[in-house]
Amino acid sequence: MNQSRIAQRVRRIKPSPSTAAADRANELRREGKSIVNLVIGEPDFDTPPSIRQAAAYAMEHGATRYTAMLGTLELRQAIVAKLARENGLTYAPTEIIATNGAKSAIYSALAATLEPGDEVIIPAPYWVSYPDMVLANDGTPVAVACPEHQGFKLTPAQLESAITPRTRWLLINSPSNPTGAAYSALEYRALAEVLARHPHVLVMTDDIYEHIRFDGRQTLHLLAVAPDLRDRTLAINGVSKTYAMTGWRIGWAAGPRDLIQALETLLSQSAGNCCAVSQAAAAAALNGDQGFVAECVAIYQERRDRTAQRINAIPGLSCAVPDGAFYLYVNCAGLIGKSARGGKRLATDGDVVMHLLESAGVAVVAGAAYGLSPYFRVSIATSIETLMEGMDRMARVVADLV
Ligand code: PLP
């Protein structure tokens, strides 16, 4: 490839490691290997029929043209109602922009605000895309390691020492991909106290897993605890994970008018508005019956419990039981230094993941991709049969290590 014709901003980023892991698993499957794919980061359910029908209706009734750049008023009103109903937050439709997935909202917000060298504080482990999105926009990702013994969450002391005059954003993802950790009111309040001393720091909350919460708990929004941060917070969310709508590509940002206007300007000169049919579908999802969400959460919870139990019974592996999202972040420190019989010594979580794939046909993603090792991520967005087969294989291969 002729690298010289590719811009620096692209050369300094890499394709998503979870996509790369999924591609490798599919390649092995095509070669005839039996693969248990525990990489997938999207619900294994179909979008509910009522939402698909609303989309079909919209398509037949005029949702075929450009929409307002912020998104249709119908969708933005549905988002306003959702934020009030579920989060106790008050927004006007002009303080919301619909985007091509939450991913585009986050990327565009960084593009609209970062000057070269501006810092973005990213608690690790983090969603793989955050650091690359910052790098692509000339910013500097500041990853702060949040180890397991602190629940994989950022402490106020860590936040205080990570903030510099160059800090532009703090990025919070609760519940988190990959750990499922969710912040409590107490934890948010303590972080908010630090932020109160640093008014130049903006806060981006990635709330995409908000509804995938276990044990009957509800996800609390930072702004519900610290409303004084409203003027410098951008709340990002979308319908992908909650309503099994990853392919429809609808996300949004809610925030102060100047930030929303900056996103509007940038997106009006780049992506344009997001798909009109998908906007109608997303409005139907937000306004409609929410029973589907509770059904999915119950299924994820059973998978979480059974899979965590199996993992914690494998000597050398352990995992904390996540508060939400659909992943388990598995500690594999107990396998580091072991060797496959007659084979290679496992020195990193990347080696562990490669060994699981090549010897057991189990595909997972190495913790290195998420900024905290030695771990690997198991997705539970797949059937219980697949998960149990994966656990059987994992137990066999791990027992064989010396
Ligand atoms: N944020 C996190 C933490 C995610 O894990 C994902 C998808 O994997 C997204 C955002 C992207 O969501 P969307 O499909 O709405 O772009």
Side-chain angles (χ1 to χ4, degrees), residues 97-110 127 129-130 133 171 173 204-209 234-241 245-246 248-253 263 267 274:
I97 184 164
T99 55
N100 188 43
K103 199 169 209 171
S104 166
I106 301 166
Y107 186 91
S108 306
L110 295 171
W127 181 38
S129 293
Y130 297 145
M133 286 187 185
L171 234 163
N173 175 216
M204 203 181 309
T205 65
D206 178 349
D207 309 321
I208 198 81
Y209 293 101
L234 205 56
I236 310 284
N237 209 333
V239 293
S240 291
K241 316 286 179 176
M245 291 178 70
T246 45
W248 299 76
R249 309 308 303 131
I250 297 292
W252 62 81
L263 263 73
L267 283 164
C274 49

Side-chain angles (χ1 to χ4, degrees), residues 272-310:
N273 66 262
C274 49
C275 170
V277 176
S278 295
Q279 290 189 54
L286 294 170
N287 290 334
D289 182 79
Q290 302 293 302
F292 171 79
V293 184
E295 282 168 32
C296 294
V297 169
I299 294 169
Y300 290 133
Q301 182 164 325
E302 194 202 343
R303 294 172 182 173
R304 173 200 70 163
D305 291 343
R306 290 185 53 189
T307 310
Q309 192 184 24
R310 290 293 308 274

